[in-house]
């Protein structure tokens, strides 16, 4: 049974190395829709009618800034925490010590599929691929972001049509195969109840869409800015600073999900002017703050490095069992 469905007619969609094609079984005229695999290794499953702008999602400038900033390791504590929680969830051994979250086990050799929604250029996705799932769908509405993720996945040999082998034993490596998709989070091209877990790192929270694709005991990991996140930077950029209301979405998830745990992580960052410029460019502050404020802050940092604290909160939820 296909993991994917056609974004145009919802018929089963079969993946292939060159062209994905649906069988047209749910189309009134039984039309089969083709979707070519780009040379970088991604597939565009975003129909024009699902676009709200000509180039939706993050811009190339924002993506390049985020790549530089994240690859410098500034948010590594968050990446480490997320992957730690995923390993606990994906652990094959039921006896995970003192874990409050019941681990997922492979039953009847059934593949474990995970969706990283709003994956961006893939900083978190590439680390997630090594936590124990079989298939990792990396989805974002930004084509430039998915292009970057696909290129990195291809170099690493992790794309779905590549066989990842250990250089010594020639055995299949313990790394998930990655499917980079340009798609809408609100219209996921995935078969109902086919996904074991979803991660949403600073990305949209769509309860109905998540509930539709998750299995009956599926998991949801959400990362958001915590209270006090980048406080000194925001104070320098805005006259009035509003705190992050990180858990405001929980009531929207309540009909479908139960909160299993909450984790907090913070890291002190000393940033150069270049780092700070990238941080501003990759966040909403790039367009919300006045240009004069941004330039004044960057000018001040030219002579003295800037210190701020990144603070995050991670929520672990499980799909609520149907009564």
């Amino acid at each position: 049974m296909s993991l994917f469905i056609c974004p145009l007619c919802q018929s089963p969609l079969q993946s292939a190395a060159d062209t994905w094609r649906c069988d047209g079984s749910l189309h009134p005229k039984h039309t089969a829709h083709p979707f070519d695999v780009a040379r970088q290794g991604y597939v565009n499953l975003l129909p024009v009618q699902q676009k709200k702008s000509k180039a939706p999602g993050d811009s190339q400038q924002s993506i390049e800034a985020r790549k530089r900033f994240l690859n410098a390791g500034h948010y590594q504590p968050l990446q480490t925490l997320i992957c730690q929680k995923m390993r606990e969830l994906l652990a094959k051994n039921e006896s995970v010590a003192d874990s409050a979250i019941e681990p997922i086990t492979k039953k009847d050799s059934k593949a474990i599929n995970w969706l990283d929604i709003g994956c961006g250029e893939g900083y978190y996705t590439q680390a997630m691929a090594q936590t124990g799932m079989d298939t990792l769908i990396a989805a974002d509405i930004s084509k430039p972001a998915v292009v970057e993720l696909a290129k990195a996945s291809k170099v690493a040999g992790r794309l779905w049509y590549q066989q990842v082998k250990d250089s010594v034993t020639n055995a299949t490596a313990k790394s998930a195969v990655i499917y980079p998709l340009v798609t809408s989070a609100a219209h996921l091209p995935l078969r109902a109840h086919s996904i074991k877990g979803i991660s949403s790192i600073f990305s949209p929270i769509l309860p109905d869409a998540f509930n539709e694709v998750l299995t009956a005991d599926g998991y949801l990991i959400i990362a958001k800015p915590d209270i006090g996140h980048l406080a000194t930077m925001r104070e320098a950029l805005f006259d009035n600073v509003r705190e992050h209301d990180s858990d405001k979405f929980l009531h929207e998830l309540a009909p479908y999900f139960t909160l299993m745990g909450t984790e907090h992580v913070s890291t002190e960052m000393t940033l150069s002017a270049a780092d700070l410029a990238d941080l501003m460019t990759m966040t909403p502050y790039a367009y919300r703050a006045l240009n004069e404020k941004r330039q004044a802050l960057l000018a001040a940092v030219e002579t003295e490095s800037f210190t701020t604290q990144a603070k995050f909160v991670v929520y672990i939820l499980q799909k609520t069992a149907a009564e």
Side-chain angles (χ1 to χ4, degrees):
M1 189 179 297
S2 176
L3 175 60
F4 303 98
I5 60 173
C6 177
L8 296 173
C9 68
Q10 287 70 59
S11 300
L13 177 64
Q14 297 297 333
S15 61
D18 51 0
T19 301
W20 292 22
R21 195 180 303 275
C22 77
D23 63 14
S25 58
L26 297 180
H27 190 275
K29 297 182 180 180
H30 296 282
T31 302
H33 299 106
F35 301 91
D36 291 337
V37 177
R39 60 181 176 81
Q40 297 93 339
Y42 72 92
V43 183
N44 192 333
L45 298 180
L46 182 67
V48 65
Q49 57 266 37
Q50 292 180 12
K51 291 184 177 182
K52 294 183 179 179
S53 65
K54 186 175 180 180
D58 292 335
S59 66
Q60 188 67 49
Q61 181 184 19
S62 174
I63 292 159
E64 293 296 336
R66 191 164 60 226
K67 278 178 59 179
R68 290 189 295 267
F69 187 84
L70 294 178
N71 288 341
H74 296 299
Y75 282 7
Q76 186 172 344
L78 175 62
Q79 183 196 68
T80 300
L81 175 63
I82 290 168
C83 290
Q84 174 193 333
K85 292 304 167 185
M86 290 180 70
R87 286 190 183 93
E88 292 175 6
L89 293 175
L90 296 166
K92 299 176 180 67
N93 189 335
E94 291 283 354
S95 59
V96 177
D98 301 320
S99 176
I101 306 168
E102 187 171 340
I104 298 170
T105 58
K106 287 187 179 180
K107 297 178 181 178
D108 303 321
S109 300
K110 189 174 182 180
I112 294 176
N113 306 316
W114 193 281
L115 168 65
D116 185 26
I117 194 73
C119 60
E121 81 303 324
Y123 173 74
Y124 301 99
T125 315
Q126 299 295 344
M128 290 176 187
Q130 302 176 69
T131 60
M133 80 282 290
D134 300 290
T135 301
L136 180 54
I137 299 102
D140 202 292
I141 202 168
S142 168
K143 180 180 173 180
V146 177
V147 168
E148 294 296 328
L149 184 148
K151 290 192 296 187
S153 301
K154 191 173 184 178
V155 169
R158 291 178 180 153
L159 291 178
W160 78 94
Y161 58 78
Q162 296 173 307
Q163 293 295 314
V164 183
K165 299 289 184 179
D166 183 272
S167 59
V168 178
T169 65
N170 203 39
T172 301
K174 290 184 178 180
S175 180
V177 293
I178 297 176
Y179 290 82
L181 304 180
V182 179
T183 186
S184 165
H187 304 280
L188 293 168
L190 298 169
R191 176 168 49 86
H193 315 306
S194 61
I195 302 298
K196 195 67 179 183
I198 297 175
S199 48
S200 176
I201 316 303
F202 316 124
S203 296
I205 306 299
L206 300 166
D208 291 326
F210 293 172
N211 178 62
E212 176 66 20
V213 299
L214 278 173
T215 59
D217 56 351
Y219 287 83
L220 178 58
I221 293 180
I222 296 172
K224 292 285 185 183
D226 205 352
I227 294 173
H229 178 60
L230 305 179
T232 55
M233 186 176 89
R234 289 185 291 128
E235 288 166 0
L237 292 174
F238 301 102
D239 294 329
N240 297 305
V241 177
R242 291 186 297 175
E243 277 299 351
H244 292 284
D245 186 5
S246 303
D247 59 0
K248 63 181 180 182
F249 61 87
L250 288 177
H251 75 279
E252 300 173 6
L253 292 168
Y256 305 119
F257 297 92
T258 300
L259 181 64
M260 305 297 291
T262 304
E263 300 283 343
H264 299 265
V265 61
S266 62
T267 180
E268 194 83 15
M269 302 185 301
T270 300
L271 306 176
S272 65
D275 289 333
L276 186 58
D278 283 340
L279 179 57
M280 283 193 282
T281 301
M282 65 183 255
T283 65
Y285 311 137
Y287 56 87
R288 289 180 184 169
L290 293 174
N291 184 57
E292 307 88 84
K293 293 269 190 179
R294 294 198 305 270
Q295 295 307 317
L297 177 56
L298 289 172
V301 179
E302 288 290 352
T303 56
E304 185 177 355
S305 58
F306 183 78
T307 300
T308 193
Q309 192 173 36
K311 303 182 75 172
F312 310 102
V313 55
V314 176
Y315 304 91
I316 301 97
L317 303 99
Q318 186 175 24
K319 194 169 174 179
T320 304
E323 296 182 358

